[in-house]
Amino acid sequence: MDWFGLLGLDELSHGLANLSMFPYFDVAHYVVSIMALREQPGALEVSRVSPLACWFSSMLFCFGGAVLSAIMLAEPAVAPLSNSTSVLLASITWYLVFYCPVDLVYSCAALLPLRLVLSGMKEVTRTWKVLGGVTQAHSKYKDSLLVMIAIGWAKGAGGGLISNFEQLVRGVWKPETNEFLKMSYPTKITLIGAVLFALQQTHYLPVQTHHLMLVYTVFTVANKARMMLTGSSASPFAVIESAVYKALFTGHSPYAALAAEVKKACVDRGATNGTTATKAIGGNGAAEGPSGSLKAKEESEKKVN
């Protein structure tokens, strides 16, 4: 049964699939991305000291996914920057966010209602980026599900995946912020989207592309709005992640018993050494006691005599 046709969503899904990202959605993506850069610690200081470094970091925030996916596909890394119109639009957005008089652009865009709309539009572009990466990989590696997932993930969340390199541009080195060590929500939701679209492209997921686009877009936009309105950064998949982690990755280690025995032996050895030292000190004190009393007695007898 075609639930989308039954619910009257088929036409909506076709309209969404045919929606053009340029220029409004692209501008929203640039604004939200550059605002995220500006809110990084020390970013404002860098913008005053080195505008070139700040601009380059902004371009990595805006086009990082396209650059990373191009590198992975052995294509020129500068190819995404060949679109002069997009680069010019992103550069104008960068200038207005960082250097607009009286900070007007950032102050207006930071208002919750407008930022909510811009963030929702950015989530719409995420769907197109992930799908674009998956289809691009599918055209070259038709039977490689892993490659399609990797390219879709890189294109949709490349800005986060190359965050360490972007930080180096600003003179910051924080390897503990690596997305592979602790994934943020955008990286996780992009990875899930890449898996879904890759399964759909290889016909393992029996659903049409525009239908999956609608479902994925609605979920990402609605969840982003919920997180912004409630001020919560908790992932909706936290319960599932915890259950999977405990079931698959926290099993009993074959070295746990050995480590426990070694630790117990060290503790026992330390306690034994402490007891021995205490007894030795006590014994010396007891030995010194009688000799001291004898000396005192002899001196008293001499005085009397």
Side-chain angles (χ1 to χ4, degrees):
M1 182 180 294
D2 188 1
W3 289 101
F4 286 88
L6 185 63
L7 297 174
L9 299 176
D10 192 62
E11 184 177 354
L12 178 61
S13 63
H14 278 288
L16 181 64
N18 296 325
L19 188 64
S20 175
M21 294 293 102
F22 183 84
Y24 303 110
F25 288 89
D26 285 343
V27 170
H29 167 67
Y30 300 151
V31 171
V32 174
S33 299
I34 297 174
M35 286 179 64
L37 170 63
R38 174 177 166 143
E39 292 165 358
Q40 295 291 318
L44 275 176
E45 289 77 4
V46 173
S47 68
R48 301 301 186 264
V49 174
S50 177
L52 180 60
C54 181
W55 174 83
F56 191 67
S57 294
S58 299
M59 296 304 104
L60 290 177
F61 262 75
C62 295
F63 305 103
V67 171
L68 181 59
S69 61
I71 294 174
M72 294 175 66
L73 290 172
E75 297 178 355
V78 296
L81 303 179
S82 61
N83 189 335
S84 302
T85 304
S86 297
V87 174
L88 179 61
L89 196 58
S91 300
I92 293 174
T93 304
W94 159 76
Y95 184 83
L96 293 176
V97 169
F98 276 96
Y99 305 103
C100 182
V102 298
D103 211 12
L104 183 62
V105 172
Y106 177 79
S107 300
C108 293
L111 296 174
L112 182 58
L114 183 55
R115 189 159 191 167
L116 193 63
V117 173
L118 293 173
S119 299
M121 296 174 70
K122 176 179 168 60
E123 293 302 315
V124 174
T125 64
R126 187 186 305 279
T127 303
W128 266 253
K129 292 178 185 298
V130 174
L131 179 60
V134 171
T135 54
Q136 184 180 7
H138 182 61
S139 63
K140 295 186 176 183
Y141 306 94
K142 295 186 180 297
D143 299 326
S144 181
L145 187 64
L146 182 60
V147 173
M148 287 187 277
I149 293 174
I151 301 301
W153 188 30
K155 198 157 191 175
L161 295 174
I162 63 172
S163 59
N164 289 113
F165 175 71
E166 181 276 323
Q167 290 170 358
L168 283 176
V169 175
R170 294 186 285 115
V172 179
W173 174 240
K174 293 182 178 180
E176 68 276 6
T177 61
N178 191 332
E179 285 286 337
F180 288 96
L181 296 177
K182 188 176 181 181
M183 288 189 189
S184 60
Y185 167 75
T187 305
K188 291 179 182 178
I189 196 64
T190 304
L191 177 59
I192 293 173
V195 172
L196 292 176
F197 282 110
L199 291 174
Q200 188 275 329
Q201 290 291 316
T202 53
H203 306 291
Y204 289 110
L205 188 62
V207 64
Q208 298 186 38
T209 304
H210 56 279
H211 291 165
L212 183 58
M213 291 176 66
L214 177 62
V215 173
Y216 181 74
T217 302
V218 169
F219 176 80
T220 55
V221 172
N223 197 59
K224 183 66 175 181
R226 177 194 64 82
M227 294 173 67
M228 294 183 65
L229 291 174
T230 60
S232 172
S233 59
S235 171
F237 312 107
V239 177
I240 301 175
E241 291 173 7
S242 178
V244 172
Y245 176 77
K246 291 179 180 179
L248 300 179
F249 303 107
T250 58
H252 181 72
S253 173
Y255 303 101
L258 179 59
E261 291 178 0
V262 172
K263 183 177 181 181
K264 183 178 179 182
C266 293
V267 172
D268 293 342
R269 188 180 300 111
T272 303
N273 293 337
T275 305
T276 304
T278 304
K279 289 182 178 179
I281 294 173
N284 294 335
E288 292 176 359
S291 61
S293 59
L294 289 173
K295 289 181 180 179
K297 185 178 180 180
E298 290 175 357
E299 289 177 358
S300 63
E301 290 178 352
K302 290 181 180 178
K303 290 181 180 180
V304 173
N305 296 332

